[in-house]
Amino acid sequence: MNNKLNLASKPFTNRTLPWVVTGVLLFFSLIAFAGIIRATRQANTEAAVIENEVRRLRQEEEGLRKEADKVKQSLSSDQLKTLKAAHELVDRKQFSWSRLFVDLESALPGNVRVTRISVRDVAMRDTQTVAELDLAVVSKSSETITNMISNMDRGGVFRAYIAAQNLQKGRGETGTEYELHVIYSPRAGAPTVESQAANLAQAGTQPETSEGGPK
């Protein structure tokens, strides 16, 4: 006996499966939507807290600025000069001569001799100490000085400009003295104690007529 199944007249149907799939997708969609809402609320809350903190800091800054203006207006001209001198003294205390000597030692060629050095001004720009120096050096070659200034500019610690030059005519003196205006911006950090001590010991033991390094 041959049994035949006519799917055209009695098709196979499963009405449960589509509803199950739809229910599962809807369930996970609701969970994801709830997570998005929770994350959005948390982000908005944190943003509101940060905004309030920024507003509070700005108000404090404005209040401090007004107090500083009131104090400045209440000072006499002599007191203002004293205050400015005190600020300059604080800036100068942050200037390290030993650090300057170490940086100069690495920047100057061996055949260039320092004859004079003085600090014209020291100031704080942001968190960095910047000093204006008057530096006099002696060299037999102008090309050596030109190359030295170029190397200083590339190094980023010194920016030097030639202010004047004078031919050396004293007994036993040769070459030309170059007066330089230098902007000195030491990098963050400090040289090691060993390098400072070695440099200062070398500077103290070398005679004035020797070449190379600050004297």
Side-chain angles (χ1 to χ4, degrees), residues 25 30 35 70 73 89 93 117 123 132 134 136 143 159 163 183 190 196:
L25 293 176
L30 291 175
K70 290 181 181 179
Q73 291 174 1
L89 181 61
K93 283 188 175 181
I117 181 171
E132 295 186 25
D134 289 326
E143 183 179 359
R159 284 185 294 134
I183 305 297
Q196 289 185 0

Side-chain angles (χ1 to χ4, degrees), residues 74-143:
S74 65
L75 297 177
S76 64
S77 58
D78 292 338
Q79 289 174 329
L80 288 175
K81 292 179 180 179
T82 303
L83 180 62
K84 182 179 179 181
H87 287 167
E88 292 177 352
L89 181 61
V90 171
D91 291 338
R92 286 182 177 273
K93 283 188 175 181
Q94 296 178 357
F95 179 78
S96 172
W97 278 97
S98 58
R99 175 65 182 270
L100 172 61
F101 291 155
V102 171
D103 289 337
L104 273 178
E105 189 75 21
S106 62
L108 296 182
N111 54 354
V112 173
R113 177 168 54 90
V114 175
T115 57
R116 295 190 309 277
I117 181 171
S118 62
V119 178
R120 179 184 299 181
D121 187 26
V122 179
M124 292 295 297
R125 297 178 184 175
D126 296 331
T127 58
Q128 185 180 22
T129 302
V130 178
E132 295 186 25
L133 312 176
D134 289 326
L135 179 66
V137 296
V138 174
S139 175
K140 297 179 181 180
S141 170
S142 61
E143 183 179 359

Side-chain angles (χ1 to χ4, degrees), residues 134-179:
D134 289 326
L135 179 66
V137 296
V138 174
S139 175
K140 297 179 181 180
S141 170
S142 61
E143 183 179 359
T144 300
I145 299 298
T146 301
N147 293 335
M148 180 191 73
I149 292 176
S150 298
N151 292 333
M152 283 181 167
D153 291 341
R154 283 194 295 268
V157 177
F158 297 97
R159 284 185 294 134
Y161 311 91
I162 297 178
Q165 60 186 71
N166 305 294
L167 183 64
Q168 298 293 287
K169 297 181 180 180
R171 178 185 297 178
E173 294 182 352
T174 59
T176 303
E177 183 183 68
Y178 297 85
E179 297 179 6

Side-chain angles (χ1 to χ4, degrees), residues 52-65:
N52 291 334
E53 183 68 16
V54 171
R55 187 182 300 111
R56 183 184 66 82
L57 292 175
R58 287 178 177 174
Q59 290 175 351
E60 289 183 359
E61 181 184 4
E62 184 65 23
L64 292 174
R65 185 181 293 110

